Amino acid sequence: MNVSKTVWFHGSSEVLTSIKAGSSITPTENVARGFSYRPEFLSINNEGRRIRHNGRRSGYLYVVDEMLVDADVTIHPASKDDEWFEWRVSRDVLVKLVKRTEIVEEERFTKEEIAQMREKQKQHSGKSFVEKREE
């Protein structure tokens, strides 16, 4: 991936002008939009073309507002085979607001789907999507 020519996105539930070292960025707008809802569960298919989540509030979509070089980013360990998914910045980075994200009801998991995911979660690690990402 050519880091310096990539448009990088960040999704947040907060108003920001910069993100801190260790924050997540992605070259895929829908991934950032999904993260902006702060969901417990997030499913992203087809390299980010379709998302499903259980976020409860709207958020903000940002674009990185400065040039990044290879030394500025590392691929998230959970994304090592999926460059389109999640990366981390190694320094504080300026961001610019693109838009407020609004929850699209058709993208939300049903109560039944959430119950099934919670049951699977109990059977495995017991950790949510967010908890696993933050490890």
Side-chain angles (χ1 to χ4, degrees):
M1 174 175 287
N2 188 335
V3 170
S4 64
K5 292 188 178 185
T6 301
V7 176
W8 293 100
F9 297 94
H10 177 78
S12 178
S13 59
E14 301 174 19
V15 175
L16 305 169
T17 57
S18 65
I19 55 176
K20 300 207 178 294
S23 296
S24 294
I25 59 172
T26 176
T28 309
E29 183 176 338
N30 266 349
V31 172
R33 188 170 61 83
F35 288 157
S36 77
Y37 303 135
R38 297 288 298 166
E40 178 184 6
F41 297 105
L42 176 64
S43 171
I44 302 173
N45 297 327
N46 300 321
E47 295 187 351
R49 289 188 281 285
R50 181 169 188 255
I51 68 171
R52 305 269 324 275
H53 63 87
N54 71 329
R56 294 190 191 121
R57 61 181 178 181
S58 299
Y60 301 93
L61 178 69
Y62 296 92
V63 66
V64 169
D65 198 24
E66 59 183 280
M67 183 184 286
L68 299 179
V69 297
D70 288 348
D72 295 329
V73 299
T74 55
I75 195 160
H76 190 286
S79 302
K80 65 181 179 173
D81 295 324
D82 298 313
E83 289 187 346
W84 59 269
F85 193 62
E86 184 178 10
W87 294 67
R88 287 185 178 156
V89 292
S90 58
R91 63 178 177 84
D92 292 1
V93 173
L94 296 173
V95 293
K96 179 172 72 173
L97 179 64
V98 174
K99 65 182 177 182
R100 182 155 171 78
T101 60
E102 300 296 333
I103 290 178
V104 178
E105 284 303 316
E106 294 79 32
E107 295 175 343
R108 291 176 54 99
F109 288 120
T110 64
K111 290 179 182 179
E112 293 78 19
E113 289 170 321
I114 292 169
Q116 290 172 352
M117 287 184 276
R118 286 204 172 106
E119 185 57 37
K120 284 182 186 176
Q121 193 178 57
K122 286 179 193 174
Q123 294 171 5
H124 293 91
S125 68
K127 295 181 181 175
S128 73
F129 164 77
V130 173
E131 292 167 325
K132 287 180 185 177
R133 279 184 54 241
E134 292 175 352
E135 287 183 341

